Amino acid sequence: MIHIHEAGGSSPSLPTIATHSRLYLMAKYYVTTSIPYVNGDPHIGFAMELLYADVLARRARQQGDEVIFTTGTDEHGGKVAEKAAEQKLEPKAYTDQISQRFRELGKLLNVSSNRFIRTTDPGHEQRAQLIWKTIANDIYKGKYVGWYCTGDEAFFTETEVKANNGICPVHKRPYEKIEEENYFFKLSKYTAAVNEAITKDEYRIVPTTRRNEILGMLKSGLEDISISRPKDKIGWGIPVPSDATQVMYVWFEALMNYITVLGYPEHEDFKQYWPAQVQVIGKDIIRFHAGVWPAMLMSLKLPLPHQLYVHGFITVDGKKMSKSLGNVIHPGDIIAKYGVDACRYYFLRHVPSYEDGDFSWERLEAVYNNELANELGNAVQRTVVMIQKYEDGVVGVTPPAEHDIAQYEAALANCRFDRALDEVWEQVRGLNQYIDEEKPWAIAKAGDKDHLRSVLAYQVSSLLNIAVLLEPFLPETSAKIKGIFGDKLRPLEGTLFPKHDAPAA
RNA sequence: CGCGGGGUGGAGCAGCGGCAGCUCGCGUGGCUCAUAACCACGAGGUCGCAGGUUCGAGUCCUGCCCCCGCAACCA
């Protein structure tokens, strides 16, 4: 049995406007994040990945799809065992702790994932062994030859060894040539087929630059990869079936999570939800997801995911985030000061969806004040006040929205979250311009009740439309706006985004 | 010749063959419904450097310089 953990998914909100333009058939929608390796606490890099996947999941639900949205943690391997030993913990006890922090990260960010898989779940381990047996035809025993430094307890590449003239610069001793018995996966056999699937966009990789990158790698062909480790060297892993001396190489087994979490092979969820619509990953692990993973699926005779979305990395004040620099940003710090939606907004709009981006408190402050408080928050506020002043708080009949959302939809289909929000903000600006042009206060003075009512109704309609478009991105804000302009006016206690005076530390 | 991404007004970015554009910041004006918010107008760029193709080049080609990743077993 597989462990299924229900995370705090929000109830799907019914689309009011977005769907009237097209007929959308209810479908199964499966979206995944990568499962981060638990050798450290979560930071904003993975937080961003959760947010991207969350937008896709929420949008799909909004369209009426049934959604499975998975995330989880990758918990085996030498590095984890080392970390655990440092803290004088058993590996499992250590990963229990860290895994929990990743789970909490999702809640903190209001991410609507509904399954959380750990590679140490018994279900995953059993299914991984089953997968191994299923693709046994593509697995063979071979020798891995490498340069090993006993000081580092690690292998080094040929080029690295050459660059150091055969002597480890840290430990001042020669690298040893070590042969190791490993199992290998016939990755080479599938190179051509993977290449074709990507070329034909059957397995669509966005952005295009990433697609080109992987096609370049595939052109020279992929070599078979070692997929096991001797148990006496790295004990913390899933045993290879029928060979007690070996455990599975972490990566090989971790990739399987995308199907074991659905209950591959027999569970109904697997049958209904695979292949995934979109798999969200970071640029560092593209070769595993665009090279190894599709080959594994082909070996299993399973269809490939429809789309792989590769995001970039975040720098902080232009510098790489690192513990030694002490500039690691924790999502909790941002949320504590600005709220969860402001945090979501920053990463979704101001980190380029197709490239690396930068975070700084100054920029967050500016964005919060200008775009969230002034433009959106104030548009809501002025509309609320006008309805109170001129209409005794009565919201009239609102006309359906007439905005063209083709650009917004196209942006989302291509995982251009930044562009999608640009489109929404076009409407926010448009609304503020509309108010200034129509001058409802002047109409009120002139006493033209009908005209006034239609202008205010338009404002409300525009805001409700914005709320719908915003739902996948800023679910709380969206709900608040919808709540204010329901059948009757229900103003908030304060404002949507209260202004801050002092910048954050 | 390892591979890839990038260098456009103070900042962040778009444009990828046809008058250099957007957001922030800055300046001026307008408005008063509003969270000193909103709206309009303006200043500010020889588009990394040097050649070339073209009637015309951020935009195509060649060479160079500078940043940032990746470089196969650490996941």
Side-chain angles (χ1 to χ4, degrees):
Chain A
M1 281 311 283
I2 202 144
H3 284 240
I4 293 168
H5 305 275
E6 297 293 337
S10 73
S11 60
S13 51
L14 291 172
T16 52
I17 291 159
T19 52
H20 80 274
S21 59
R22 72 184 207 201
L23 189 64
Y24 196 94
L25 296 176
M26 191 161 87
K28 307 289 185 191
Y29 189 99
Y30 179 36
V31 57
T32 69
T33 67
S34 65
I35 51 172
Y37 199 57
V38 291
N39 59 352
D41 280 338
H43 56 67
I44 50 176
F46 186 65
M48 187 171 75
E49 181 165 317
L50 282 171
L51 294 179
Y52 288 142
D54 191 44
V55 172
L56 295 172
R58 285 177 182 275
R59 177 63 177 168
R61 283 191 203 101
Q62 198 181 40
Q63 305 267 35
D65 289 353
E66 287 183 66
V67 174
I68 291 182
F69 168 16
T70 68
T71 182
T73 42
D74 178 12
E75 308 189 6
H76 291 120
K79 277 264 161 75
V80 162
E82 273 173 39
K83 278 273 176 186
E86 274 174 31
Q87 302 193 12
K88 299 196 168 48
L89 287 171
E90 286 301 305
K92 184 59 169 42
Y94 169 78
T95 62
D96 282 350
Q97 273 184 17
I98 307 283
S99 181
Q100 186 56 28
R101 281 182 219 156
F102 278 92
R103 198 188 296 257
E104 281 158 10
L105 176 68
K107 289 204 178 113
L108 195 64
L109 289 163
N110 197 10
V111 163
S112 66
S113 58
N114 45 20
R115 299 223 180 154
F116 191 99
I117 185 167
R118 303 178 55 186
T119 55
T120 51
D121 288 335
H124 174 77
E125 298 191 347
Q126 287 163 21
R127 291 174 196 282
Q129 290 179 320
L130 181 66
I131 289 168
W132 183 286
K133 287 184 214 158
T134 308
I135 62 175
N137 278 343
D138 286 326
I139 294 174
Y140 62 94
K141 204 165 194 179
K143 275 206 178 77
Y144 174 75
V145 182
W147 294 97
Y148 190 78
C149 171
T150 46
D152 288 301
E153 293 187 50
F155 283 96
F156 292 88
T157 61
E158 194 76 32
T159 43
E160 224 170 335
V161 172
K162 267 192 191 137
N164 296 326
N165 294 318
I167 297 181
C168 173
V170 181
H171 300 92
K172 311 288 179 211
R173 64 181 113 178
Y175 295 103
E176 291 173 55
K177 191 165 201 173
I178 286 195
E179 291 189 354
E180 204 175 87
E181 286 260 287
N182 283 175
Y183 288 96
F184 282 75
F185 172 65
K186 290 183 190 166
L187 183 56
S188 57
K189 178 176 156 187
Y190 294 99
T191 304
V194 171
N195 196 332
E196 190 183 329
I198 294 173
T199 304
K200 287 183 172 169
D201 282 339
E202 286 159 10
Y203 184 28
R204 185 164 173 254
I205 297 177
V206 290
T208 312
T209 49
R210 299 295 168 203
R211 179 175 175 271
N212 295 341
E213 196 178 322
I214 191 67
L215 284 173
M217 281 184 222
L218 287 165
K219 202 158 44 178
S220 51
L222 299 175
E223 285 176 28
D224 293 349
I225 51 162
S226 159
I227 55 168
S228 73
R229 293 288 179 275
K231 194 176 170 64
D232 53 14
K233 221 169 247 156
I234 298 175
W236 180 234
I238 300 176
V240 167
S242 66
D243 186 341
T245 70
Q246 300 268 323
V247 298
M248 294 186 200
Y249 172 52
V250 210
W251 253 117
F252 194 63
E253 157 255 303
L255 286 166
M256 300 175 187
N257 92 84
Y258 301 125
I259 56 175
T260 63
V261 71
L262 294 180
Y264 170 85
E266 83 289 355
H267 199 284
E268 203 48 36
D269 284 344
F270 173 72
K271 291 174 190 158
Q272 293 202 25
Y273 284 87
W274 188 259
Q277 285 299 321
V278 185
Q279 299 204 261
V280 180
I281 64 163
K283 64 177 186 177
D284 53 330
I285 54 177
I286 183 169
R287 68 185 305 123
F288 290 96
H289 287 82
V292 181
W293 177 227
M296 288 167 69
L297 289 166
M298 285 173 180
S299 181
L300 284 165
K301 300 188 170 47
L302 293 176
L304 305 187
H306 293 297
Q307 184 166 323
L308 182 71
Y309 164 57
V310 186
H311 69 252
F313 286 168
I314 301 173
T315 54
V316 175
D317 295 320
K319 293 190 229 29
K320 201 168 169 174
M321 199 168 28
S322 78
K323 278 179 190 164
S324 50
L325 279 174
N327 64 349
V328 176
I329 304 284
H330 297 283
D333 299 340
I334 299 172
I335 293 168
K337 166 123 198 197
Y338 293 91
V340 65
D341 274 5
C343 177
R344 292 173 63 108
Y345 180 79
Y346 186 94
F347 291 112
L348 290 168
R349 186 169 188 206
H350 292 289
V351 173
S353 304
Y354 280 6
E355 281 162 75
D356 291 348
D358 188 59
F359 174 86
S360 76
W361 287 105
E362 291 74 22
R363 217 151 99 76
L364 172 60
E365 176 77 12
V367 157
Y368 179 89
N369 283 331
N370 294 326
E371 294 166 19
L372 293 176
N374 295 350
E375 292 184 324
L376 177 59
N378 190 45
V380 169
Q381 186 64 14
R382 59 200 305 211
T383 300
V384 166
V385 172
M386 282 190 252
I387 292 171
Q388 285 175 325
K389 272 193 184 167
Y390 305 141
E391 299 283 344
D392 290 325
V394 177
V395 180
V397 180
T398 55
E402 54 201 31
H403 293 286
D404 181 10
I405 60 166
Q407 299 283 329
Y408 171 89
E409 287 185 324
L412 272 179
N414 292 307
C415 298
R416 300 235 40 175
F417 305 100
D418 51 351
R419 290 282 189 283
L421 280 171
D422 285 348
E423 288 300 317
V424 178
W425 250 256
E426 281 300 309
Q427 295 199 24
V428 175
R429 284 168 203 280
L431 174 59
N432 277 321
Q433 286 165 356
Y434 174 85
I435 295 173
D436 272 56
E437 279 162 21
E438 293 293 333
K439 302 184 186 14
W441 54 91
I443 302 174
K445 238 172 227 167
D448 189 346
K449 275 285 177 194
D450 285 347
H451 188 194
L452 181 62
R453 208 164 288 143
S454 78
V455 168
L456 292 179
Y458 177 86
Q459 290 176 220
V460 170
S461 146
S462 184
L463 285 169
L464 287 174
N465 185 48
I466 287 164
V468 170
L469 299 181
L470 235 34
E471 202 281 337
F473 297 86
L474 312 179
E476 275 186 5
T477 302
S478 170
K480 280 181 189 167
I481 295 172
K482 287 176 192 163
I484 294 169
F485 302 105
D487 50 323
K488 66 179 186 198
L489 195 69
R490 289 192 194 80
L492 295 176
E493 288 290 315
T495 50
L496 213 47
F497 296 100
K499 281 269 260 237
H500 293 192
D501 294 324

